Amino acid sequence: MTAKIAILAGDFIGPEIIHEAVRVLKCLQKHFGLNVELEHADVGGAAYDKSGNPLPEATLEICKSADSILFGAVGGPQYEALERDLRPEQALLRLRTERELFANLRPATLFPQLTNTSSLKPEVVSGLDIMIVRELTGGIYFGQPRGFRTLENGERESFNTLVYSEHEVRRIAHTAFQVALKRKRKVCSVDKANVLEVSELWRQIMIEVSKEYPEVELSHMYVDNAAMQLVKWPKQFDVIVTDNLFGDILSDTAAMLTGSIGMLPTASLDKNGKGLYEPIHGSAPDISATGVANPLATILSVAMMLRYSLNEAEMATQIEQAVSDVLDLGMRTQDIADGGSYVSTRNIGDAVVNILKSR
Ligand code: NAD
């Protein structure tokens, strides 16, 4: 069956990096028999400029019927003064809600060729390969009630609610265990069960779900310790599963272990494993139209899409291997050149496509 992929380029470097990722997809279509249909749609500031809406209905419809969404990046200084609802970033939030993308997969993978881009010692990070599975649509960011109030004595107070229902924990647990089955079969559930009731239930449910995955080893860690362990000896982890707030913080920490924002993809999945794939970085207005943007995070997002939504693990590996080969050739964009010479966005895209074609 033909899988439908919505392509949403967005703003500034968004179209530049998406262009290279689409060339990779087309190469797989032509040379590897990948059965996909690509449909482009406006999003973010580019969509707002045309229609006054960062996520036009037509785009939303395309995304709802797509098997996967490949998203570039949105936003820019000219949109910052807009009302919150009209800002480009709202498109992404709305897509997550509309498609019920509750599972955020954030790999922190360090290609051995780039060990020097990390601020940590080479022996600590070399060969790093962690997957953080973050719950994305629940927890304290969405819990009700929330707000501000003034007490009788006139003092101001503010409050948020941390709440998780059983089904929300159960479904993210399943995602984590299923992801672990495709990796080294280890899940570490991160919580704060020594202090929070929500974490107590979280831990209980993780243990219950783990019984359905006897091949996967489950461990638990408090979040403060997990933050320490991530910078002390990150290679002890395979899959980390955690809630929305802890995941937000830990996934950025893990990303920085690799040193480069231009190399990391991310996926947000629904209960059927369909989802939205994008680089973790933003639209980088500061380097737009200079030809220096690193397209590899977006190209690696395509690999994630193939592995997690399209069941094409072999093609995913081919892309990852091609990226590794490009790095072996010494080709670098500015962000990963460590002060040395660098090539353009287009050169990197050409190299990945040529290596794939030669296979
Ligand atoms: P950013 O990620 O766009 O850029 C941070 C720094 O990293 C910049 O110096 C940039 O040049 C560099 N960088 C980012 N991607 C790169 C790449 N592929 N290759 C080389 N260098 C790269 O973050 P920011 O500057 O804080 O935000 C810029 C805009 O992007 C804002 O409008 C922000 O709201 C938006 N944003 C969007 C998303 C998204 O679409 N998912 C995510 C984060 C930020």
Side-chain angles (χ1 to χ4, degrees):
M1 215 181 71
T2 309
K4 200 170 132 187
I5 302 176
I7 309 281
L8 275 52
D11 307 317
F12 292 100
I13 66 164
E16 301 167 32
I17 53 180
I18 284 286
H19 182 77
E20 303 310 319
V22 166
R23 289 175 66 212
V24 168
L25 272 169
K26 289 190 171 162
C27 172
L28 293 175
Q29 261 180 324
K30 194 162 167 203
H31 298 278
F32 290 71
L34 177 66
N35 191 4
V36 290
E37 181 190 315
L38 312 181
E39 196 160 0
H40 293 257
D42 293 324
V43 75
Y48 174 82
D49 290 341
K50 279 192 195 164
S51 66
N53 183 349
L55 186 66
E57 281 309 309
T59 301
L60 185 58
E61 284 314 309
I62 289 171
C63 290
K64 277 183 177 169
S65 64
D67 292 289
S68 290
I69 302 162
L70 183 63
F71 193 96
V74 293
Q78 70 270 49
Y79 306 111
E80 277 165 16
L82 288 174
E83 263 172 58
R84 184 167 294 276
D85 277 359
L86 298 177
R87 287 190 209 152
E89 293 79 0
Q90 288 301 314
L92 200 48
L93 298 181
R94 189 151 170 234
L95 274 174
R96 284 181 186 158
T97 313
E98 292 278 344
R99 292 260 337 214
E100 287 189 67
L101 303 173
F102 67 89
N104 186 213
L105 272 50
R106 282 274 298 257
T109 311
L110 182 59
F111 285 88
Q113 302 90 330
L114 299 180
T115 301
N116 288 336
T117 57
S118 174
S119 53
L120 296 192
K121 291 186 198 131
E123 63 268 29
V124 175
V125 289
S126 166
L128 183 75
D129 180 13
I130 301 175
M131 178 70 83
I132 298 197
V133 177
R134 166 188 170 196
E135 202 291 326
L136 199 58
T137 51
I140 200 160
Y141 290 172
F142 295 93
Q144 294 290 345
R146 61 190 295 159
F148 301 91
R149 59 189 164 214
T150 305
L151 302 176
E152 277 176 12
N153 66 3
E155 194 186 4
R156 286 173 300 163
E157 193 174 66
S158 52
F159 53 99
N160 291 88
T161 301
L162 172 57
V163 57
Y164 268 109
S165 60
E166 186 170 349
H167 83 274
E168 288 175 306
V169 183
R170 208 168 274 285
R171 66 185 182 180
I172 196 75
H174 279 290
T175 304
F177 285 107
Q178 282 159 16
V179 167
L181 284 176
K182 296 185 179 180
R183 299 171 45 95
K184 296 186 206 113
R185 304 187 168 201
K186 275 169 50 180
V187 170
C188 178
S189 169
V190 169
D191 62 35
K192 191 72 185 168
N194 49 344
V195 180
L196 300 173
E197 284 79 2
V198 171
S199 285
E200 256 181 70
L201 180 66
W202 175 282
R203 202 176 266 221
Q204 278 170 25
I205 295 171
M206 286 292 154
I207 292 168
E208 286 167 27
V209 174
S210 74
K211 305 224 160 68
E212 296 177 46
Y213 300 89
E215 317 87 322
V216 180
E217 176 194 320
L218 171 67
S219 61
H220 306 273
M221 197 178 277
Y222 297 137
V223 63
D224 40 348
N225 187 23
M228 271 195 309
Q229 296 300 327
L230 265 178
V231 286
K232 189 174 170 206
W233 191 242
K235 285 191 264 186
Q236 68 186 279
F237 297 110
D238 177 25
V239 174
I240 290 176
V241 61
T242 191
D243 79 2
N244 203 343
L245 173 64
F246 299 157
D248 193 1
I249 299 162
L250 293 183
S251 60
D252 271 7
T253 308
M256 277 306 101
L257 298 175
T258 73
S260 173
I261 199 171
M263 292 296 298
L264 293 175
T266 178
S268 304
L269 303 180
D270 68 11
K271 66 178 190 310
N272 300 315
K274 293 181 175 181
L276 182 147
Y277 295 81
E278 58 179 326
I280 68 161
H281 59 72
S283 59
D286 55 333
I287 56 165
S288 172
T290 64
V292 302
N294 186 346
L296 290 176
T298 319
I299 290 172
L300 291 167
S301 301
V302 173
M304 274 192 98
M305 178 191 290
L306 291 165
R307 178 166 288 118
Y308 290 106
S309 287
L310 303 184
N311 219 4
E312 294 284 3
E314 175 52 30
M315 284 190 222
T317 305
Q318 291 283 356
I319 294 180
E320 287 155 358
Q321 189 55 51
V323 168
S324 181
D325 290 354
V326 166
L327 297 174
D328 276 341
L329 290 171
M331 294 182 77
R332 304 278 187 273
T333 39
Q334 191 178 24
D335 56 312
I336 52 172
D338 206 16
S341 63
Y342 54 87
V343 300
S344 69
T345 312
R346 190 63 197 247
N347 292 150
I348 293 279
D350 283 345
V352 173
V353 166
N354 286 335
I355 288 169
L356 284 172
K357 271 196 213 159
S358 70
R359 290 266 161 78

Coordinates of all heavy atoms in Angstrom, one line a residue, residues 11-13 17 71-77 79-80 88-89 92 96 260-263 266 278-288 292-298 333-336, ligand 1:
D11 N 9.6 27.7 7.7 CA 10.2 29.0 7.6 C 11.8 28.9 7.6 O 12.4 28.0 8.1 CB 9.8 29.9 8.7 CG 8.3 29.9 8.8 OD1 7.6 30.0 7.8 OD2 7.8 29.8 10.0
F12 N 12.4 30.0 7.0 CA 13.8 30.2 7.0 C 14.5 28.9 6.6 O 14.3 28.5 5.4 CB 14.3 30.7 8.4 CG 13.8 32.1 8.7 CD1 12.7 32.4 9.5 CD2 14.4 33.2 8.1 CE1 12.2 33.7 9.6 CE2 14.0 34.5 8.2 CZ 12.9 34.7 9.0
I13 N 15.4 28.3 7.5 CA 16.1 27.1 6.9 C 15.2 25.9 6.7 O 15.6 24.9 6.1 CB 17.3 26.7 7.8 CG1 16.9 26.1 9.1 CG2 18.3 27.8 7.9 CD1 18.0 25.4 9.8
I17 N 16.5 22.6 4.4 CA 16.8 21.3 4.9 C 15.8 20.3 4.4 O 16.1 19.1 4.0 CB 16.9 21.3 6.4 CG1 15.6 21.9 7.0 CG2 18.1 22.0 6.9 CD1 15.6 21.9 8.6
F71 N 8.3 17.4 9.0 CA 8.2 18.8 9.3 C 9.6 19.5 9.3 O 10.5 18.9 9.9 CB 7.6 18.9 10.7 CG 7.0 20.2 11.2 CD1 5.7 20.5 11.0 CD2 7.9 21.1 11.8 CE1 5.2 21.7 11.4 CE2 7.4 22.3 12.2 CZ 6.1 22.7 12.0
G72 N 9.7 20.6 8.7 CA 11.0 21.3 8.7 C 11.2 22.1 10.0 O 11.5 21.5 11.1
A73 N 10.9 23.4 10.0 CA 11.0 24.2 11.2 C 10.2 25.5 11.0 O 10.1 25.9 9.8 CB 12.4 24.5 11.6
V74 N 9.6 26.0 12.0 CA 8.8 27.2 11.9 C 9.3 28.3 12.8 O 9.9 28.0 13.8 CB 7.3 26.9 12.1 CG1 6.8 26.1 11.0 CG2 7.0 26.4 13.5
G75 N 8.9 29.5 12.5 CA 9.1 30.7 13.4 C 10.1 31.7 12.8 O 10.9 31.3 11.9
G76 N 10.1 32.8 13.4 CA 11.0 33.9 13.0 C 10.7 35.2 13.7 O 9.6 35.3 14.3
P77 N 11.7 36.1 13.7 CA 11.5 37.3 14.6 C 10.3 38.1 14.2 O 9.6 38.7 15.0 CB 12.8 38.1 14.3 CG 13.5 37.4 13.2 CD 13.0 36.0 13.1
Y79 N 7.4 37.3 13.5 CA 6.1 36.7 14.0 C 6.0 36.8 15.5 O 5.0 36.4 16.0 CB 6.0 35.3 13.5 CG 6.1 35.1 12.0 CD1 7.3 34.4 11.5 CD2 5.2 35.6 11.1 CE1 7.4 34.3 10.2 CE2 5.4 35.5 9.8 CZ 6.5 34.8 9.3 OH 6.7 34.7 7.9
E80 N 7.1 37.3 16.2 CA 7.1 37.2 17.6 C 6.0 38.1 18.3 O 5.6 37.8 19.4 CB 8.5 37.5 18.2 CG 9.3 36.2 18.1 CD 10.8 36.5 18.3 OE1 11.2 37.6 18.7 OE2 11.6 35.6 18.0
P88 N 3.7 31.0 14.5 CA 4.0 29.8 13.7 C 4.1 28.6 14.6 O 3.7 27.5 14.2 CB 5.4 30.2 13.1 CG 5.4 31.7 13.1 CD 4.6 32.2 14.2
E89 N 4.7 28.7 15.8 CA 4.9 27.5 16.7 C 3.6 26.8 17.0 O 3.5 25.7 17.4 CB 5.7 27.9 17.9 CG 7.1 28.3 17.7 CD 7.3 29.8 17.2 OE1 6.3 30.5 17.0 OE2 8.4 30.2 17.0
L92 N 2.6 23.6 15.3 CA 3.1 22.3 15.7 C 2.3 21.8 16.9 O 2.0 20.6 17.0 CB 4.6 22.6 16.2 CG 5.6 21.4 16.3 CD1 5.5 20.5 15.0 CD2 7.0 22.0 16.5
R96 N 0.1 18.3 17.1 CA 0.3 17.3 18.1 C -1.0 16.9 18.8 O -1.3 15.8 19.0 CB 1.2 17.8 19.2 CG 2.7 17.8 18.8 CD 3.5 18.3 20.0 NE 4.9 18.5 19.6 CZ 5.7 19.2 20.3 NH1 5.4 19.9 21.3 NH2 7.0 19.3 19.9
S260 N 25.8 18.6 18.9 CA 25.3 19.3 17.7 C 23.8 19.2 17.5 O 23.3 18.2 17.3 CB 26.0 18.7 16.4 OG 25.4 19.3 15.3
I261 N 23.3 20.4 17.4 CA 21.8 20.5 17.2 C 21.4 20.1 15.8 O 20.3 19.8 15.5 CB 21.4 22.0 17.6 CG1 19.9 22.1 17.9 CG2 21.9 22.9 16.6 CD1 19.6 23.4 18.5
G262 N 22.4 20.2 14.9 CA 22.1 20.0 13.5 C 22.1 18.5 13.1 O 21.9 18.2 11.9
M263 N 22.3 17.6 14.0 CA 22.4 16.2 13.7 C 21.2 15.4 14.3 O 21.2 14.2 14.1 CB 23.7 15.6 14.3 CG 25.0 16.1 13.7 SD 25.1 15.7 12.0 CE 25.2 13.9 12.0
T266 N 13.8 13.9 15.7 CA 12.8 13.5 16.7 C 11.5 13.1 16.0 O 11.2 13.5 14.9 CB 12.6 14.7 17.7 OG1 11.6 14.3 18.7 CG2 12.1 15.9 17.0
E278 N 10.7 15.4 12.7 CA 11.4 16.7 12.4 C 12.7 16.7 13.1 O 13.0 16.0 14.0 CB 10.5 17.8 13.1 CG 10.3 17.5 14.5 CD 9.4 18.6 15.3 OE1 9.4 19.7 14.9 OE2 8.7 18.1 16.2
P279 N 13.6 17.7 12.6 CA 14.8 17.9 13.3 C 14.5 18.6 14.7 O 13.4 19.2 14.8 CB 15.6 18.9 12.4 CG 14.5 19.6 11.6 CD 13.4 18.6 11.5
I280 N 15.4 18.5 15.7 CA 15.1 19.1 17.0 C 15.3 20.6 16.9 O 14.8 21.3 17.8 CB 15.9 18.5 18.1 CG1 17.4 18.8 18.1 CG2 15.6 17.0 18.3 CD1 18.1 18.6 19.4
H281 N 16.0 21.1 15.9 CA 16.4 22.5 15.9 C 15.2 23.3 15.4 O 14.3 22.8 14.8 CB 17.7 22.8 15.2 CG 17.6 22.3 13.7 ND1 16.9 22.9 12.8 CD2 18.2 21.2 13.1 CE1 17.1 22.3 11.6 NE2 17.8 21.3 11.8
G282 N 15.4 24.7 15.5 CA 14.4 25.6 15.0 C 14.7 26.1 13.6 O 15.5 25.4 12.8
S283 N 14.1 27.2 13.2 CA 14.2 27.7 11.8 C 15.5 28.5 11.6 O 15.7 28.9 10.4 CB 13.0 28.5 11.5 OG 13.0 29.6 12.4
A284 N 16.3 28.7 12.6 CA 17.7 29.3 12.4 C 17.7 30.5 11.5 O 18.4 30.5 10.5 CB 18.7 28.3 12.0
P285 N 16.9 31.6 11.8 CA 17.0 32.7 10.9 C 18.4 33.3 10.7 O 18.6 33.9 9.6 CB 16.1 33.7 11.6 CG 15.2 33.0 12.5 CD 16.0 31.8 12.9
D286 N 19.2 33.1 11.7 CA 20.6 33.7 11.6 C 21.4 33.1 10.4 O 22.3 33.8 10.0 CB 21.3 33.6 12.9 CG 21.4 32.1 13.4 OD1 20.5 31.3 13.1 OD2 22.3 31.8 14.2
I287 N 21.1 31.9 10.0 CA 21.9 31.3 8.9 C 21.1 31.0 7.6 O 21.7 30.5 6.7 CB 22.6 30.0 9.4 CG1 21.6 29.0 9.9 CG2 23.7 30.3 10.5 CD1 22.1 27.6 10.0
S288 N 19.8 31.4 7.7 CA 19.0 31.1 6.5 C 19.6 31.8 5.3 O 20.1 32.9 5.3 CB 17.6 31.7 6.8 OG 16.8 31.6 5.7
V292 N 24.5 27.3 4.7 CA 25.3 26.5 5.7 C 24.5 25.6 6.6 O 25.1 24.9 7.4 CB 26.2 27.4 6.5 CG1 27.1 28.3 5.7 CG2 25.4 28.3 7.5
A293 N 23.2 25.6 6.5 CA 22.4 24.8 7.4 C 22.7 23.3 7.2 O 22.9 22.8 6.1 CB 20.9 25.0 7.1
N294 N 22.8 22.6 8.3 CA 23.1 21.2 8.3 C 21.7 20.4 8.0 O 20.8 20.5 8.8 CB 23.6 20.8 9.7 CG 24.1 19.3 9.7 OD1 23.7 18.5 8.8 ND2 24.8 19.0 10.7
P295 N 21.6 19.7 6.9 CA 20.4 19.0 6.6 C 20.3 17.6 7.2 O 19.3 16.9 7.0 CB 20.4 18.9 5.1 CG 21.9 18.7 4.8 CD 22.6 19.5 5.8
L296 N 21.4 17.2 8.0 CA 21.4 15.8 8.4 C 20.4 15.4 9.4 O 19.8 14.3 9.4 CB 22.8 15.4 8.8 CG 23.9 15.4 7.7 CD1 25.3 15.1 8.3 CD2 23.5 14.3 6.7
A297 N 20.0 16.4 10.3 CA 19.0 16.1 11.3 C 17.6 15.7 10.6 O 16.9 14.8 11.0 CB 18.8 17.2 12.3
T298 N 17.4 16.5 9.5 CA 16.1 16.2 8.7 C 16.2 14.9 7.9 O 15.2 14.2 7.9 CB 15.8 17.4 7.8 OG1 16.2 18.6 8.6 CG2 14.4 17.5 7.4
T333 N 29.2 20.2 7.6 CA 28.6 21.6 7.5 C 29.3 22.4 8.7 O 29.9 21.9 9.6 CB 27.1 21.6 7.7 OG1 26.8 20.7 8.7 CG2 26.4 21.3 6.4
Q334 N 29.1 23.7 8.6 CA 29.8 24.6 9.5 C 29.6 24.2 11.0 O 30.6 24.3 11.8 CB 29.3 26.0 9.3 CG 30.1 27.1 9.9 CD 29.6 28.5 9.6 OE1 28.4 28.7 9.3 NE2 30.5 29.5 9.7
D335 N 28.4 23.9 11.4 CA 28.1 23.6 12.8 C 28.9 22.4 13.4 O 29.0 22.4 14.6 CB 26.6 23.4 13.0 CG 26.1 22.2 12.1 OD1 26.4 22.2 10.9 OD2 25.4 21.4 12.6
I336 N 29.3 21.5 12.5 CA 30.0 20.3 13.0 C 31.5 20.3 12.5 O 32.2 19.3 12.6 CB 29.3 19.0 12.7 CG1 29.0 18.9 11.2 CG2 28.1 18.8 13.5 CD1 28.5 17.6 10.7
Ligands
NAD1 P1 17.3 27.4 16.5 O1 17.4 25.9 16.8 O2 16.6 27.8 15.2 O3 18.9 27.9 16.4 C1 19.8 27.9 17.5 C2 21.2 27.9 16.9 O4 21.5 26.7 16.3 C3 21.4 29.0 15.9 O5 22.7 29.6 16.0 C4 21.3 28.3 14.6 O6 22.1 28.9 13.5 C5 21.9 27.0 14.9 N1 21.3 25.9 14.1 C6 20.0 25.4 14.2 N2 19.7 24.5 13.3 C7 20.9 24.4 12.6 C8 21.2 23.6 11.5 N3 20.4 22.7 10.9 N4 22.5 23.7 11.0 C9 23.4 24.6 11.5 N5 23.1 25.3 12.6 C10 21.8 25.2 13.1 O7 16.7 28.1 17.7 P2 16.4 29.6 18.0 O8 17.4 30.5 17.3 O9 16.1 29.8 19.4 O10 15.0 29.8 17.2 C11 14.8 30.4 15.9 C12 13.3 30.2 15.6 O11 12.9 28.9 15.5 C13 12.4 30.9 16.6 O12 11.3 31.5 15.9 C14 11.9 29.7 17.4 O13 10.6 29.9 18.0 C15 11.8 28.6 16.3 N6 11.8 27.2 16.8 C16 11.1 26.4 16.1 C17 11.1 25.0 16.4 C18 10.4 24.1 15.5 O14 9.9 24.4 14.4 N7 10.2 22.8 15.9 C19 11.9 24.5 17.4 C20 12.7 25.5 18.1 C21 12.7 26.8 17.8

